[in-house]
Each structure stands twice: as structure tokens, then as C-alpha cells.
Amino acid sequence: MKVMKFGGTSVGSPERMKGVASLITKSGEPTFVVLSAMSGTTNSLVEISDYLYKKNPDGANEVINTLEKKYLQHIEELYSTEEMRNKTREFLAKEFQYLRSFTKDIFTSFEEKIIVAQGEVMSTNMVVNYLKEQGVKAILLDALDFMRTDKNAEPDAPFIKENLAKVLQDNKGYQIYITQGFVCRNAYGEIDNLQRGGSDYTASLIGAAMLADEIQIWTDIDGMHNNDPRVVEKTEAVHQLHFEEAAELAYFGAKILHPTCVQPAKYAGIPVRIKNTMDPDADGTVINNQLNRGKIKAVAAKDNITAIKIKSSRMLLATGFLRKVFEIFENYSTPIDMITTSEVGVSVSIDKDTHLPQIVDELKKYGTVTVDQDMCIICVVGDLEWNNLGFESLATDAMRDIPVRMISYGGSNYNISFLIREADKKRALQNLSAELFNK
């Protein structure tokens, strides 16, 4: 059985819901489907929660009414029988009354998580009802029955595997199994969410738990491209990536996947394929544990980076210096992206500058501090093991007329990164494409 995940844009209108239904029934084989909320719905639900935090029930009800009107219009366009229209109307009426019930009580983050989860509840019910109207043997499985996180807010893989198997055993013989992405319970049984990667994470966890043949992530672009198509002309979808290469690209700017969401599939050895709902015949990108030797695959960029240099003559041979520096970033929950060191200094980059003044103030205890903002990390991904002669030179040659603040190489076998000014980003990406892919 394969797992197919569809994002918000893929189920963003009645027409697209019909397209998804066509895709998931095309093979005629049993398929497990994970759906996100319709595009725009989660934003509206977050807005409702924001009004309720601010004790403005009138504002919340206005957003609820607007969202309900939108959904009722979708019913008219999606279903062809009055019986299914009425059934879905009744379901949605209960859903929106449920949302209104939160305007009358004390509102906390617990209630917010319940409200935000309703987008996936509505989209999955609507698609299952459409499939049933079309004569497809489909069933909706409640993600809350088997998706759970542990006390560290990490997915509880043994629980997921055991309970998903039980649910499937109790519901044999269906062609299409549909569940909600993103939604889960926490270790205390409360409604929660998977945070990182959302619905992609759900699909990966389910695929790993049931040892699926393949996990397909359907989105609005035909795979991970070899460069940013918004900046560089004539980019191409990369046919195949190693899981580590995909993770590097995702972390350093390729927004199609969250860097951690495919880890369960990686450890289970299950390939992940990125497909385009607007162009379903395109090959897309397959991500697996195979490494294509001797090839640079893609380039990505990560904006809004801040570089911090700590220079100190006291650092020379001083044990514990780096530990003290890193503890400052840890104390302010600020992760480091890149790092380079010398005998008298260390430079790091961060993408979260919320506590920058406090961090700089504490770093000044250990040396002279220099800060450069409006920076950008350019990441070149592929087979970049150190014994591949000349591979790093291909990347550095392309950057020869770009001022480079930092270079990170050797920390990974799949990545070389350059820290540059954001103003030079476009030129750097174009130069890299010309040097690496268009010769």
C-alpha cells in the first residue's frame, strides 16, 4: 500500500478536491491518504483564536461566519446529489456551531489547538463524502485514534505503529483510507499537533509504521528544483535525492519539505516522492537512501541570517572558550546555522535574532563582537565528500566575484555553504546555476 499526502492548495477548491479524488482512485489499489486543511482555512482558524485570546467574541464570530459561508458554497459545487449535500451541510453546521461554542468560555492554548485542528477535520469529511458519492469504497480514520506524541513532544512511534495496525485490522476491505494530517494527541491525551512538517510528518510516520511501498507528497510544484525558480530561469526538478541531500536543501531554503519530516521514512528505508497535483504526469523528485556518486544536485538559499564574530586573544589555547560561547546561544534558545573558527576567534550565523542584543551583550565578556545583518546562506548540495577532487572548486569558482563572509565545508558529506549579503543572493544563485548545471 502507498501513502499519498495532499496539502492545502491541493484541496483548496471543489475542483481540486475532485482532482485529488481522481488521483487517489486511479490505480484501483488500496491507498492511504493524508489531507491538510483547505488552503486559507488554518489562517482563519488562527485568526479566530487570536480574537478569542483578546476577548473579542464578536470578531471571532465574524471570521467564523465568513468561513462558513465559503464552505457552504463549496458544497454546492462539489456534490451532485442533494442527499450528499444535505449530509455534508449537517456535518458542517455542527462543526461551525462547535467553533462558536469557544466564544463563550475561557480561552487558552489548549482550546486553540482544538480549533486549529478543525480545518483537517472538515477537509477529510468533505473528500470522503465525495468519494462515497462517486461509489468509491472509502473510509475516514480519525488521526486522534493512532497519532500521538510522547512527553518530549516527539512522535510516539511504537504507539502509532500498534494503534494504526489495530485500526486497519478493524477496517479491512476498503480501497481508500483517509485521515487528517498535522493533528494528534499528546502524552496526556489532549488534542495537539505535530508542529514540524505538519501533514508531511503525518504521512511519513504512517508510511513508516505500516511499511508502505512509497510515500507521495503532492504539492503545487513538480519536485525539488536544482535552484530557486523565483530567482533563476530554467531550473529543473531534481529526479533523485538522497535523504541527507533533501534534508540539507529543506533546512537551507527549499520550502517544499521540512528538514525533519521525512526522517521516519529514511530510517524505515521507504522512498518519498514529491509530485505536482497540477501536473500529475511529471516524474517529480524521489528521495531515498541511494547516493548518486560524483554529482552536485541542487542549490538553495536561506535569508534573514545574522553573522556574529567573537574575536579574543584570550581564546588561544583556552579550554572551555567555545563551550562558554555556545552556552550563551543555548540559554536564549537560539540555534546556530554555520560556524567557522580560528586561533583567535569564532564566527557563527543565526536565523533567529529575537535575543540578539542580549546575546551580543553576554558575548562581549569574552571578546570583541562584530555583527553583520541582512545576510544569506547559499547551500550547494550533492556528493561533496572531501576526497572528490575539485568538487568544492566548482562551487567556489562560481562565487569568485561574490564577497563571501563565511564558508562551511566538511561538516557534512553533502553540503558546502557560503554566507553572503542578501543583496548578492540573486547574482550568486545565477552564477552557481551557470557553473554547475548549464555548462
Side-chain angles (χ1 to χ4, degrees):
M1 188 185 291
K2 65 185 173 187
V3 175
M4 301 174 74
K5 175 264 173 179
F6 294 88
T9 55
S10 297
V11 292
S13 68
E15 182 183 359
R16 290 191 175 174
M17 283 185 173
K18 291 177 182 179
V20 166
S22 176
L23 287 170
I24 64 181
T25 57
K26 189 175 182 180
S27 69
E29 299 173 357
T31 303
F32 201 112
V33 180
V34 177
L35 296 182
S36 298
M38 289 177 62
S39 56
T41 298
T42 300
N43 288 340
S44 294
L45 295 172
V46 169
E47 187 179 4
I48 291 165
S49 300
D50 190 44
Y51 275 119
L52 295 177
Y53 273 125
K54 293 178 169 62
K55 303 186 185 303
N56 182 354
D58 291 339
N61 277 319
E62 192 170 325
V63 179
I64 292 170
N65 292 341
T66 301
L67 190 61
E68 183 176 27
K69 185 178 178 181
K70 173 184 173 182
Y71 270 81
L72 291 175
Q73 180 59 42
H74 287 335
I75 288 176
E76 299 304 316
E77 300 173 31
L78 183 58
Y79 304 105
S80 57
T81 65
E82 199 58 36
E83 177 188 358
M84 196 55 76
R85 288 193 187 109
N86 286 333
K87 181 179 179 179
T88 310
R89 281 193 199 102
E90 289 173 10
F91 159 73
L92 287 176
K94 291 177 183 177
E95 270 294 304
F96 284 101
Q97 278 304 111
Y98 183 51
L99 290 176
R100 291 185 182 96
S101 71
F102 291 95
T103 65
K104 302 168 186 174
D105 298 312
I106 295 172
F107 195 78
T108 68
S109 60
F110 173 73
E111 284 79 21
E112 180 185 16
K113 287 176 180 177
I114 296 174
I115 284 179
V116 173
Q118 299 314 303
E120 281 77 10
V121 172
M122 289 190 281
S123 65
T124 50
N125 271 274
M126 290 176 71
V127 172
V128 165
N129 285 350
Y130 176 75
L131 288 168
K132 289 179 177 178
E133 186 183 61
Q134 302 303 307
V136 178
K137 197 171 183 185
I139 186 171
L140 176 60
L141 304 179
D142 190 343
L144 298 179
D145 291 338
F146 53 87
M147 295 302 298
R148 189 176 80 170
T149 54
D150 59 23
K151 291 182 180 180
N152 297 315
E154 294 295 332
D156 189 340
F159 179 93
I160 294 169
K161 184 174 183 177
E162 179 183 347
N163 286 271
L164 178 59
K166 193 181 300 180
V167 168
L168 290 173
Q169 180 67 28
D170 293 341
N171 295 279
K172 287 182 177 179
Y174 287 90
Q175 181 186 345
I176 303 296
Y177 297 85
I178 290 185
T179 197
Q180 302 87 15
F182 178 65
V183 181
C184 67
R185 291 191 187 277
N186 59 27
Y188 310 100
E190 301 163 338
I191 293 178
D192 211 322
N193 61 66
L194 292 172
Q195 300 177 11
R196 299 166 301 182
S199 297
D200 292 348
Y201 210 2
T202 302
S204 186
L205 288 163
I206 288 172
M210 61 191 294
L211 294 178
D213 299 320
E214 183 175 88
I215 299 165
Q216 295 182 353
I217 307 294
W218 289 79
T219 181
D220 55 1
I221 189 169
D222 55 343
M224 297 183 85
H225 278 228
N226 59 5
N227 210 322
D228 189 339
R230 297 167 299 181
V231 178
V232 179
E233 295 181 355
K234 298 179 181 178
T235 64
E236 296 179 352
V238 182
H239 176 68
Q240 183 270 343
L241 289 167
H242 187 278
F243 277 114
E244 296 289 348
E245 293 172 333
E248 296 279 8
L249 286 173
Y251 184 77
F252 285 104
K255 301 297 184 184
I256 296 177
L257 285 177
H258 190 282
T260 62
C261 75
V262 294
Q263 283 186 354
K266 170 191 169 184
Y267 297 137
I270 298 168
V272 175
R273 189 179 299 273
I274 301 171
K275 297 278 285 180
N276 187 354
T277 49
M278 315 304 166
D279 186 11
D281 294 328
D283 290 338
T285 300
V286 63
I287 305 167
N288 53 31
N289 281 317
Q290 298 173 19
L291 180 61
N292 192 346
R293 294 285 179 186
K295 188 172 182 180
I296 293 178
K297 299 286 187 67
V299 178
K302 189 176 185 182
D303 297 327
N304 302 314
I305 302 296
T306 298
I308 305 170
K309 180 167 69 175
I310 309 100
K311 183 180 177 183
S312 172
S313 57
R314 291 180 295 164
M315 180 181 172
L316 184 63
L317 301 180
T319 58
F321 177 84
L322 287 177
R323 176 181 56 79
K324 292 172 185 175
V325 168
F326 292 149
E327 279 180 348
I328 293 171
F329 290 93
E330 182 180 353
N331 290 340
Y332 289 101
S333 301
T334 302
I336 292 171
D337 288 317
M338 292 175 63
I339 177 170
T340 59
T341 63
S342 72
E343 287 189 344
V344 293
V346 56
S347 287
V348 301
S349 73
I350 60 174
D351 65 357
K352 179 183 172 186
D353 62 2
T354 309
H355 301 290
L356 182 62
Q358 297 96 315
I359 290 171
V360 170
D361 189 54
E362 291 203 35
L363 287 173
K364 285 180 178 177
K365 298 174 185 176
Y366 304 107
T368 304
V369 181
T370 306
V371 176
D372 295 307
Q373 293 185 283
D374 300 319
M375 306 295 283
C376 168
I377 295 175
I378 303 291
C379 167
V380 179
V381 166
D383 180 19
L384 286 161
E385 287 193 12
W386 66 274
N387 55 2
N388 288 344
L389 296 177
F391 270 47
E392 73 283 354
S393 299
L394 292 173
T396 54
D397 282 352
M399 301 289 287
R400 57 185 170 271
D401 61 344
I402 306 288
V404 176
R405 169 71 174 75
M406 289 168 62
I407 298 177
S408 177
Y409 176 59
S412 160
N413 289 334
Y414 307 95
N415 165 30
I416 179 169
S417 296
F418 302 89
L419 183 68
I420 64 172
R421 295 177 304 207
E422 275 189 19
D424 296 321
K425 168 185 165 180
K426 181 176 181 179
R427 192 155 51 100
L429 291 178
Q430 290 173 339
N431 287 0
L432 284 163
S433 263
E435 189 75 29
L436 301 176
F437 309 127
N438 298 334
K439 277 194 169 182

